[in-house]
Amino acid sequence: MPRYVSPSSPMPKKLSTLTEILGIPQLRAEILRFLSQHPDGATSGEIAAAIGTRYQTVQRHLEQLEELKAVKASVKPPRQGHHVVFKIKPNVLAEAVEKNASYIQGS
């Protein structure tokens, strides 16, 4: 399980509180936000540099997101020594938010 590390530029407090309600670590939210804004994808190092944290921490989150089918990697495991670009899958965030909201509201 990834350590709970905050990015160097924290999200606004109101948004941070909303993500905490659903148990989404702030760092994971920042990773997903970065990938959403970069449709061509990015490496764990590029994401880490942009959000101000270590690439190893970002990599662990990306691996979990890949297992959850939220992101796709340019190289399949094992990846040692490979340049791996991660892309967020289209509509994955909208679908996750919609389905979770529906479930939580009892629909």
Side-chain angles (χ1 to χ4, degrees):
M1 192 72 172
R3 289 184 17 223
Y4 293 100
V5 179
S6 295
S8 61
S9 300
M11 68 174 57
K13 181 67 177 159
K14 185 174 183 177
L15 291 177
S16 176
T17 300
L18 293 173
T19 58
E20 285 181 34
I21 287 171
L22 296 174
I24 303 168
Q26 185 178 354
L27 183 60
R28 180 163 296 184
E30 290 296 332
I31 292 167
L32 290 167
R33 181 173 190 259
F34 182 89
L35 287 174
S36 293
Q37 294 173 342
H38 296 85
D40 292 334
T43 65
S44 58
E46 291 166 338
I47 298 167
I51 65 175
T53 193
R54 295 171 12 129
Y55 82 90
Q56 296 94 334
T57 304
V58 171
Q59 181 66 35
R60 285 192 298 273
H61 279 279
L62 289 169
E63 288 169 357
Q64 288 183 340
L65 288 166
E66 186 180 18
E67 288 175 15
L68 295 168
K69 300 188 182 343
V71 299
K72 182 172 173 81
S74 61
V75 178
K76 294 183 188 251
R79 299 186 174 120
Q80 193 168 1
H82 290 279
H83 181 84
V84 183
V85 175
F86 291 88
K87 293 182 182 182
I88 193 163
K89 289 192 173 179
N91 303 319
V92 74
L93 293 178
E95 184 179 343
V97 169
E98 178 186 331
K99 288 185 177 183
N100 276 289
S102 178
Y103 175 78
I104 290 168
Q105 294 169 353
S107 303

